[in-house]
Each structure stands twice: as C-alpha cells, then as structure tokens.
Amino acid sequence: MGQPAILTVDDDPSVSRAIARDLRRRYADRYRIIRAGSATEALDVLKELKLRGGRVAVMLADYRMPQMNGIEFLEQAMDLFPHARRALLTAYADTDAAIQAINVVDVDHYLLKPWDPPEEKLYPVLDALLDAWQATGDQELPDLRLVGHRWSEPSFQIRDFLARNLVPYKYFGADEPEGRRLMEAADAGPESIPLVVTADGRALPRPTVQEVAEAAGLSVTPGRDFYDLIIVGGGPAGLGAAVYGGSEGLKTLLIERQAVGGQAGQSSRIENYLGFPDGISGAQLTDRARRQADKFAAETLNTREVVGLRTDGSARTLTFADGGEISAHAILLATGVSYRPLLAEGVAGLTGSGVFYGSAATEGPACAGSDVYIVGGANSAGQAALFFSRYARKVTLLVRGDSLEASMSYYLIQQLAQVANIEVRTRCEVIGAHGDGHLQAITICDSKGGTKATVECGYLFVFIGAEPRTDWLGDAVQRDEKGFVRTGSDLLANGERPRGWDRDRDPFYLESSVPGIFAAGDVRANSIKRVASAVGEGAMAVALVHRYLEAQ
C-alpha cells in the first residue's frame, strides 16, 4: 500500500514550503509528505488517495484560508480518512478563535506559527500524533458486527461497552437487510439477539460482556498469579497508578469491570485538565493513558468484577465474581463512583431504552432532530448538554437546585449560555417516565410554580450525584456512612489508630485501615472530585506503595 501520508494544507507558499521541509527532514524515510496550497486542492488529493487505497496518518491544516478555513476542511476530510490524526496551524492572533472552533471537529492538537525550533515545538507534537495513529492505523479493520434492536437494553449495553473500550464494530438493526442476512447466515432466530459476529465469522448469540471482550481481543485473564500492585478500577486514578507503577518497575495489574476510563472516559470534552488548552475528550485521554500504561508493561484485565478482599499474611487477595482469586503485596482501590439511580416511576423499566446514565455517546447521532432532556447540574451534565446540542433539535437541562453556580464550573456555564438550542431549567425534577417499549414522554415537576407537566421525550440522560460502589468490601476496610473509604488521618479517631492496625506507624495519607490497602480518587472519603486530583492521587499512591514495600 506504500508509505502512509502526512498532508499539509496552507495557502501561504512560504509557510507551506517551510513545514514540508521540516517534515521531510524528520519523517521522509517513513512517510510520504504531501503539501497542498488550498483546502479544495487538499480534498482532491485525499479523494485520489482514497480511490488508490492509500493511507493518511496526519493532516495539518492552516486555520485561516480563503473559501474554506482549516476547521471546515478537516470536517470534510474526516469523512474520507476518519482515523487520521488532525492538527490546526494558527497564528497567535487566531488562537482564541481556533480553540473555540476546535469544539466543532475533534482536532487532536493545534500548532502556533512559527514553530522554530521544530525540535521543540513541532516534532514532539507530530511524534505523539503519529504514535497514536500507528496504534490504530488507517486501514480497514476487521470489525466485530453486532445485530440488535434499537430500543433493546442488552443491545445498548454491548454497543456502549464496545464504544467505551474503543473497539471498532459495525451495528445493524435486526430489521435491516444486512442484519437479516447476518442472522440467516448464522442460522439465528429472534431469540439470539443481540447477535455478535466476530471477524473470523463466529456467531455469538446473546453473549455476555466477557464473551464480547474475548472476541474483541481484550485481555480477560491475568498473566501471573501474584503481583506487586493490583489496582481495582480503571478511571483516572487507576490509570495514573498503572502508569507510575509500571514505569517504576512494579509488577502491576489494573482490573476494570466495565470500561477503562470510568466516568471521565465518557466525557465528551474535558477543558480544564492541565496541558490541554483546547480540551480533550474523555475517550482520547483514556486512550492515551491506556497506551502509556501498556508502554510500561502494566497489565489490564477487562470485564472482571471483584467481589471480595481479604488479608493472607503479607499478601492481599481479591476474589472475582466467578470464584477466581488473585493476590499482590499491595492493593489500590480506585473504583470511583457510579451515578445515583433516578428513582422516578417508570425509569427502571426504560433504562437502556431511552433512559441512559452518563453521556452514552453512542446515542448522539440517533438524537438528530429530537428533543433531549438531561437531569443534573454538575460538570458532567453540562458537558453532555454541549455534546448532544450538536445533534438534537433542543437540549433541556433539568436542575434540582436554584442555579448552576454551586455545582458547575464557570467556563461551562458560560458555554451553555452561548448555545441557542440549550435551555436550563432550575428547581425541576423528573417524577415519571412513560413509553411502550422505549421512552416516549417524561413528567416534570417544577417546584418554582408548583406545576407538573408531561412532555414528549425520546432521550433522557441522567447525571444525578454519585455514590461509591464499595458494598463488596464489607468490613474489610473502614468506610464512612456514605460508603467512601477512609484513609490516612481520617482513621485516627481521637488520635488512636484503627482497630487491628499492626504497624508502629500511622496509616499513610492514602492508606486504608488495613496496611497495604490504599484508596485513590473519587472512592476515597473527602477526596476532590476532579480528574486532575484523581490522577495525582494515583501517582501518589504508587510512591506510598513503595514506602510500604520497603518496610516489609
């Protein structure tokens, strides 16, 4: 297929020549460097490459061009090469406009002109983009194929699992021609839906998530019986710990029961995370962190649910739901939190069939032209409102409190106010959900006027508070009244150490009531519920694990 291409688009001939020169100097032995003088010319080049079966690794587009600016070009280019990495070239004066426009198209980076010296300001960015592209490639991948029903919760669960784990798949409705053909070929009836067909042609009727994970090539079996550090939970805290644990030579295993990234991985865009001034999607951040953990040989175990924890002498042992066990010198609890269920009449029966917890980004395109309602007033709800406003006719944010200021970041409140098809309604609650087979309407109680109204609604996304998923811990470690794990000084009641504590020291800052068992991120009592702080705690936990191991 020849060398993959790096395409540059700039209408200024001197800039175009300069960037092509710098790119050839470093990448010409591995990549074909193509430059175009306009967006129209670049699209023609991409179309020809597509017809010839070529590959494009990275596209660099100038922001300010006549007829079609860089954002508009990248929007169209994505249709031809959706896996190519994308960067915007901007002058300093255009930075603010470029950052705002980046929300329109999922740009990976932007570069300021001039970029001298390229060794500092150009090549590191391009190296990272090329590494990311090489991890997935631009060629057609042997996708899984899923046949399901539009409003089926089991079908949604598999689609959501594959999307959140960045597994390429193709979805076909059971009533579509291709869906019917796949079912006939697999000799499968309606009772087999959802039906997964693997790349090698195996048919999996009504598979479990673990069976889907195995078919997708995700790791579901640990590589050893004993580790230095086992991390339970693959959100920002768990990923941070996996990167630092692996990089510092610890035999590290990360266990995730659903999808690496946790709630942060579902965010459509995180804009206040240090080092990403133009924002980054939760999926992108998760993918980079996962690949970084892989680089340092930290193992990831998917779709395995941990249901028990005990102390075996100097070892700490976890029990899986299937009865298996795994042990380590130290355990880090990084299970985060789950969205609290919406306890309104009819909601439980429609979950996955119009009612969704979290952003459920797979539903975005299906919302086109519909009215979407979002329940919640924190950052996750605001980010979801911005995401779905790109598809829906109207997005209504229902907030129980008097305003957003107490629970949402200022920058998000400002962005919501600027989007014409987003409405924020305060002091409102959903008290009922209605529909035959899928959500069709909701009943809203407006406490300001004391009124109730039933409105048409096909999509309801819920972001109401969070609660730790720690019931499985039982009495293994101390938890507060809400279920969050107590650590460090929170365990020193009246200056006394926890009952059963057998060390001649106080618990370390992130250490639980059992030596060698640590907690980090949202699951920890009195933690700061932010992505940056969770990553920091994950890194700090590894340093404390080292101190614990050195004293053994």
Side-chain angles (χ1 to χ4, degrees), residues 413-435:
I413 297 174
Q414 296 297 105
Q415 288 186 13
L416 292 174
Q418 295 170 7
V419 180
N421 65 333
I422 294 179
E423 178 187 2
V424 178
R425 293 179 57 182
T426 58
R427 296 176 62 183
C428 288
E429 294 185 70
V430 173
I431 60 172
H434 322 281

mmCIF file of all heavy atoms in Angstrom, residues 413-435:
data_model
loop_
_atom_site.group_PDB
_atom_site.id
_atom_site.type_symbol
_atom_site.label_atom_id
_atom_site.label_comp_id
_atom_site.label_asym_id
_atom_site.label_seq_id
_atom_site.Cartn_x
_atom_site.Cartn_y
_atom_site.Cartn_z
ATOM 1 N N ILE A 413 -20.732 26.999 32.396
ATOM 2 C CA ILE A 413 -21.952 27.815 32.467
ATOM 3 C C ILE A 413 -21.956 28.840 31.348
ATOM 4 O O ILE A 413 -22.981 29.064 30.683
ATOM 5 C CB ILE A 413 -22.049 28.504 33.847
ATOM 6 C CG1 ILE A 413 -22.178 27.455 34.959
ATOM 7 C CG2 ILE A 413 -23.230 29.467 33.889
ATOM 8 C CD1 ILE A 413 -22.132 28.042 36.359
ATOM 9 N N GLN A 414 -20.794 29.464 31.109
ATOM 10 C CA GLN A 414 -20.687 30.453 30.037
ATOM 11 C C GLN A 414 -20.917 29.817 28.671
ATOM 12 O O GLN A 414 -21.601 30.394 27.811
ATOM 13 C CB GLN A 414 -19.304 31.109 30.078
ATOM 14 C CG GLN A 414 -19.030 31.914 31.339
ATOM 15 C CD GLN A 414 -19.997 33.081 31.469
ATOM 16 O OE1 GLN A 414 -20.920 33.036 32.292
ATOM 17 N NE2 GLN A 414 -19.818 34.108 30.668
ATOM 18 N N GLN A 415 -20.386 28.631 28.449
ATOM 19 C CA GLN A 415 -20.571 27.961 27.159
ATOM 20 C C GLN A 415 -22.027 27.573 26.936
ATOM 21 O O GLN A 415 -22.557 27.722 25.830
ATOM 22 C CB GLN A 415 -19.681 26.726 27.075
ATOM 23 C CG GLN A 415 -18.203 27.044 26.922
ATOM 24 C CD GLN A 415 -17.362 25.796 26.702
ATOM 25 O OE1 GLN A 415 -17.888 24.710 26.428
ATOM 26 N NE2 GLN A 415 -16.062 25.929 26.833
ATOM 27 N N LEU A 416 -22.687 27.084 27.971
ATOM 28 C CA LEU A 416 -24.099 26.706 27.836
ATOM 29 C C LEU A 416 -24.949 27.903 27.436
ATOM 30 O O LEU A 416 -25.869 27.789 26.619
ATOM 31 C CB LEU A 416 -24.620 26.122 29.153
ATOM 32 C CG LEU A 416 -24.053 24.761 29.581
ATOM 33 C CD1 LEU A 416 -24.554 24.393 30.968
ATOM 34 C CD2 LEU A 416 -24.442 23.670 28.584
ATOM 35 N N ALA A 417 -24.620 29.061 28.002
ATOM 36 C CA ALA A 417 -25.405 30.265 27.717
ATOM 37 C C ALA A 417 -25.260 30.716 26.270
ATOM 38 O O ALA A 417 -26.111 31.446 25.748
ATOM 39 C CB ALA A 417 -24.986 31.384 28.664
ATOM 40 N N GLN A 418 -24.202 30.291 25.613
ATOM 41 C CA GLN A 418 -23.948 30.735 24.245
ATOM 42 C C GLN A 418 -24.532 29.803 23.181
ATOM 43 O O GLN A 418 -24.456 30.107 21.993
ATOM 44 C CB GLN A 418 -22.439 30.866 24.031
ATOM 45 C CG GLN A 418 -21.795 31.953 24.881
ATOM 46 C CD GLN A 418 -20.279 31.917 24.830
ATOM 47 O OE1 GLN A 418 -19.703 31.158 24.047
ATOM 48 N NE2 GLN A 418 -19.634 32.724 25.652
ATOM 49 N N VAL A 419 -25.088 28.677 23.598
ATOM 50 C CA VAL A 419 -25.629 27.718 22.628
ATOM 51 C C VAL A 419 -27.144 27.909 22.534
ATOM 52 O O VAL A 419 -27.861 27.737 23.536
ATOM 53 C CB VAL A 419 -25.285 26.270 23.027
ATOM 54 C CG1 VAL A 419 -25.852 25.282 22.015
ATOM 55 C CG2 VAL A 419 -23.775 26.097 23.135
ATOM 56 N N ALA A 420 -27.609 28.225 21.340
ATOM 57 C CA ALA A 420 -29.004 28.617 21.168
ATOM 58 C C ALA A 420 -29.994 27.503 21.492
ATOM 59 O O ALA A 420 -31.105 27.774 21.968
ATOM 60 C CB ALA A 420 -29.230 29.117 19.742
ATOM 61 N N ASN A 421 -29.642 26.254 21.225
ATOM 62 C CA ASN A 421 -30.629 25.172 21.408
ATOM 63 C C ASN A 421 -30.487 24.455 22.753
ATOM 64 O O ASN A 421 -30.948 23.331 22.914
ATOM 65 C CB ASN A 421 -30.551 24.166 20.257
ATOM 66 C CG ASN A 421 -29.231 23.419 20.209
ATOM 67 O OD1 ASN A 421 -28.213 23.932 20.663
ATOM 68 N ND2 ASN A 421 -29.250 22.217 19.652
ATOM 69 N N ILE A 422 -29.851 25.123 23.730
ATOM 70 C CA ILE A 422 -29.792 24.584 25.090
ATOM 71 C C ILE A 422 -30.595 25.480 26.025
ATOM 72 O O ILE A 422 -30.405 26.698 26.057
ATOM 73 C CB ILE A 422 -28.337 24.489 25.603
ATOM 74 C CG1 ILE A 422 -27.540 23.465 24.787
ATOM 75 C CG2 ILE A 422 -28.308 24.101 27.088
ATOM 76 C CD1 ILE A 422 -26.092 23.331 25.222
ATOM 77 N N GLU A 423 -31.490 24.876 26.782
ATOM 78 C CA GLU A 423 -32.268 25.591 27.794
ATOM 79 C C GLU A 423 -31.956 25.003 29.165
ATOM 80 O O GLU A 423 -31.909 23.787 29.327
ATOM 81 C CB GLU A 423 -33.772 25.473 27.521
ATOM 82 C CG GLU A 423 -34.634 26.172 28.585
ATOM 83 C CD GLU A 423 -36.124 25.923 28.404
ATOM 84 O OE1 GLU A 423 -36.491 25.181 27.465
ATOM 85 O OE2 GLU A 423 -36.919 26.456 29.213
ATOM 86 N N VAL A 424 -31.749 25.865 30.145
ATOM 87 C CA VAL A 424 -31.501 25.431 31.521
ATOM 88 C C VAL A 424 -32.723 25.767 32.357
ATOM 89 O O VAL A 424 -33.134 26.926 32.432
ATOM 90 C CB VAL A 424 -30.248 26.120 32.106
ATOM 91 C CG1 VAL A 424 -30.046 25.682 33.561
ATOM 92 C CG2 VAL A 424 -29.022 25.795 31.276
ATOM 93 N N ARG A 425 -33.301 24.729 32.971
ATOM 94 C CA ARG A 425 -34.459 24.929 33.851
ATOM 95 C C ARG A 425 -34.069 24.515 35.262
ATOM 96 O O ARG A 425 -33.691 23.370 35.504
ATOM 97 C CB ARG A 425 -35.656 24.107 33.362
ATOM 98 C CG ARG A 425 -36.217 24.564 32.028
ATOM 99 C CD ARG A 425 -37.394 23.703 31.590
ATOM 100 N NE ARG A 425 -38.453 23.682 32.590
ATOM 101 C CZ ARG A 425 -39.578 22.970 32.466
ATOM 102 N NH1 ARG A 425 -39.763 22.211 31.389
ATOM 103 N NH2 ARG A 425 -40.500 23.004 33.410
ATOM 104 N N THR A 426 -34.134 25.456 36.185
ATOM 105 C CA THR A 426 -33.769 25.177 37.570
ATOM 106 C C THR A 426 -34.994 24.805 38.399
ATOM 107 O O THR A 426 -36.139 25.024 37.982
ATOM 108 C CB THR A 426 -33.086 26.400 38.195
ATOM 109 O OG1 THR A 426 -33.965 27.531 38.118
ATOM 110 C CG2 THR A 426 -31.777 26.718 37.462
ATOM 111 N N ARG A 427 -34.741 24.199 39.555
ATOM 112 C CA ARG A 427 -35.776 23.755 40.501
ATOM 113 C C ARG A 427 -36.813 22.871 39.800
ATOM 114 O O ARG A 427 -38.015 23.023 39.973
ATOM 115 C CB ARG A 427 -36.431 24.974 41.175
ATOM 116 C CG ARG A 427 -35.447 25.773 42.037
ATOM 117 C CD ARG A 427 -36.063 27.024 42.617
ATOM 118 N NE ARG A 427 -37.174 26.717 43.516
ATOM 119 C CZ ARG A 427 -37.935 27.637 44.110
ATOM 120 N NH1 ARG A 427 -37.701 28.920 43.875
ATOM 121 N NH2 ARG A 427 -38.921 27.286 44.905
ATOM 122 N N CYS A 428 -36.277 21.945 39.018
ATOM 123 C CA CYS A 428 -37.135 20.994 38.300
ATOM 124 C C CYS A 428 -36.659 19.570 38.566
ATOM 125 O O CYS A 428 -35.461 19.323 38.705
ATOM 126 C CB CYS A 428 -37.090 21.257 36.787
ATOM 127 S SG CYS A 428 -37.962 22.747 36.268
ATOM 128 N N GLU A 429 -37.596 18.640 38.606
ATOM 129 C CA GLU A 429 -37.278 17.231 38.791
ATOM 130 C C GLU A 429 -38.138 16.379 37.874
ATOM 131 O O GLU A 429 -39.284 16.728 37.576
ATOM 132 C CB GLU A 429 -37.525 16.806 40.242
ATOM 133 C CG GLU A 429 -36.608 17.440 41.267
ATOM 134 C CD GLU A 429 -36.855 16.876 42.653
ATOM 135 O OE1 GLU A 429 -36.516 15.696 42.871
ATOM 136 O OE2 GLU A 429 -37.389 17.615 43.519
ATOM 137 N N VAL A 430 -37.592 15.254 37.438
ATOM 138 C CA VAL A 430 -38.357 14.267 36.681
ATOM 139 C C VAL A 430 -39.006 13.323 37.681
ATOM 140 O O VAL A 430 -38.323 12.708 38.505
ATOM 141 C CB VAL A 430 -37.448 13.487 35.712
ATOM 142 C CG1 VAL A 430 -38.230 12.351 35.049
ATOM 143 C CG2 VAL A 430 -36.869 14.421 34.653
ATOM 144 N N ILE A 431 -40.306 13.208 37.615
ATOM 145 C CA ILE A 431 -41.024 12.347 38.567
ATOM 146 C C ILE A 431 -41.681 11.149 37.883
ATOM 147 O O ILE A 431 -42.286 10.306 38.558
ATOM 148 C CB ILE A 431 -42.077 13.146 39.354
ATOM 149 C CG1 ILE A 431 -43.106 13.765 38.398
ATOM 150 C CG2 ILE A 431 -41.414 14.234 40.191
ATOM 151 C CD1 ILE A 431 -44.283 14.419 39.123
ATOM 152 N N GLY A 432 -41.542 11.050 36.565
ATOM 153 C CA GLY A 432 -42.119 9.909 35.870
ATOM 154 C C GLY A 432 -41.569 9.769 34.463
ATOM 155 O O GLY A 432 -41.205 10.760 33.827
ATOM 156 N N ALA A 433 -41.473 8.526 33.990
ATOM 157 C CA ALA A 433 -41.053 8.236 32.613
ATOM 158 C C ALA A 433 -42.069 7.286 32.008
ATOM 159 O O ALA A 433 -42.520 6.336 32.661
ATOM 160 C CB ALA A 433 -39.656 7.621 32.596
ATOM 161 N N HIS A 434 -42.444 7.524 30.748
ATOM 162 C CA HIS A 434 -43.531 6.773 30.124
ATOM 163 C C HIS A 434 -43.133 6.323 28.719
ATOM 164 O O HIS A 434 -42.412 7.017 28.004
ATOM 165 C CB HIS A 434 -44.793 7.655 30.037
ATOM 166 C CG HIS A 434 -45.007 8.535 31.238
ATOM 167 N ND1 HIS A 434 -45.535 8.071 32.410
ATOM 168 C CD2 HIS A 434 -44.704 9.847 31.441
ATOM 169 C CE1 HIS A 434 -45.586 9.063 33.289
ATOM 170 N NE2 HIS A 434 -45.087 10.149 32.723
ATOM 171 N N GLY A 435 -43.607 5.166 28.341
ATOM 172 C CA GLY A 435 -43.345 4.680 26.988
ATOM 173 C C GLY A 435 -43.687 3.212 26.857
ATOM 174 O O GLY A 435 -43.669 2.465 27.840
#
